[in-house]
């Protein structure tokens, strides 16, 4: 998922972002509610009334998706875990924690909070629809009924026992608690996720064959689940074996740097001849990391501009230029960022000053060594 997001602000210290695909989902949902679902359930109403109710219900539905994620975040905070951010996107939302849950109990409570919130929203919607039923406002009742039912379905869907669904996290927590073997539990939960993904795709395809358009959503969701489960399956054994190896152990401790005040021309004359590096940390006069530049980016600067453009003008702060403390576990850096080869760097700091860099190759090497049962280098 790309990080093209609209920040919605912070709530209790948690950044809430909305991915642009939510706008697409909102438009599709409002449209299908107004022109299809509500109209079929309650025919012969004023067209404007369909649209008004559709917009209100769609907004309410997005709010209920947010409530699901906020429930995860609140549970995490209660358990003392740091919540990095909440992102809403087309197929729901994600709540990112800083690092992995410390114990099965925390994982279980955080995972179960989201579906509970969905089921509560669902119950509230269905309850309100039931209380307001009668001939006076059938359109509102239909809208509330759809809202309630959809939230119940979402709550139940999220409880399916396969990672990365909440149910998969619950399964993982239970297996982890029972056996004490976190890595093995992760493997089983992600394999179950592959199974659930395949099942959802199959049901979606069946739906489509029988002419129901909603099958397309299931196929979408199933394919997403499969991809996410595969990604976790590939990532977790290495992450587990890395343990708490710090970035300081795998960094290049004497990187060539790009002083921010140099012109591109001076940088090319003074720094690049003496190194095989393609990406450089940009540092301020005081030695603080400012961002990164890559040779690939410098090729975009016109030759005659090189004498007038300074390193600071083309340097990139984020994304791709993470600043991490020297004690940060490699596993955490891996789960936080994707470093592109020849483009990005993680800048390692001690007391705010640049002390080394880690690039994509360093990370890959650390993972490969971990898989080979070696976690440190002889020369560090
Ligand atoms: Zn959830």
């Amino acid at each position: 998922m790309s990080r093209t997001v609209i920040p919605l602000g912070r709530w209790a210290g948690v950044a809430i972002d909305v991915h642009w695909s939510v706008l697409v989902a909102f438009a599709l949902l409002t449209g299908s509610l107004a022109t299809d679902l509500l109209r079929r359930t309650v025919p012969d109403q004023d067209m404007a009334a369909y649209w008004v109710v559709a917009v209100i219900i769609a907004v309410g539905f997005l709010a209920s998706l947010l409530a699901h994620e906020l429930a995860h975040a609140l549970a995490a905070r209660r358990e003392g875990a740091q919540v990095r951010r909440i992102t809403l996107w087309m197929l729901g939302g994600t709540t990112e924690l800083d690092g992995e849950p410390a114990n099965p109990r925390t994982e279980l409570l955080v995972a179960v909070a989201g579906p509970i919130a969905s089921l509560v929203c669902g119950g509230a919607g269905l309850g309100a629809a039931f209380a307001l039923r009668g001939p006076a406002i059938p359109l509102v009742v239909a809208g509330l009924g759809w809202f309630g039912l959809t939230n119940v379905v979402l709550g139940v869907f999220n409880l399916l026992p396969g990672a990365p669904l909440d149910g998969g996290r619950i399964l993982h927590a239970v297996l982890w608690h029972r056996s004490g073997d976190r890595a093995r539990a992760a493997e089983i939960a992600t394999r179950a996720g592959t199974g659930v993904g395949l099942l959802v795709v199959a049901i979606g395809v069946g739906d489509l064959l029988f002419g129901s358009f909603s099958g397309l959503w299931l196929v979408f969701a199933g394919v997403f689940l499969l991809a996410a489960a595969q990604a976790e399956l590939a990532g977790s054994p290495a992450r587990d074996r890395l343990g708490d190896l710090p970035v300081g152990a795998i960094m290049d401790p004497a990187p060539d740097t790009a002083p921010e005040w140099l012109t591109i021309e001076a940088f090319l004359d003074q720094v690049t001849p003496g190194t095989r590096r393609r990406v450089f940390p940009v540092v301020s006069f005081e030695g603080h990391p400012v961002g990164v530049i890559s040779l690939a980016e410098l090729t975009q600067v016109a030759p005659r501009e090189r004498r007038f453009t300074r390193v600071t003008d083309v340097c990139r702060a984020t994304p791709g230029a993470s600043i991490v403390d020297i004690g940060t576990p490699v596993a955490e850096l891996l789960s936080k960022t994707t470093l592109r080869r020849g483009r990005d760097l993680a800048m390692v700091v001690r007391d705010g000053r640049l002390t080394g860099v880690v690039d994509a190759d360093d990370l890959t090497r650390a993972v490969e060594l971990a898989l080979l049962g070696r976690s440190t280098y002889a020369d560090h």
Side-chain angles (χ1 to χ4, degrees), residues 68-69 72 111 114-115 158 166:
H68 174 115
E69 300 308 324
H72 284 308
N158 269 297
D166 294 328

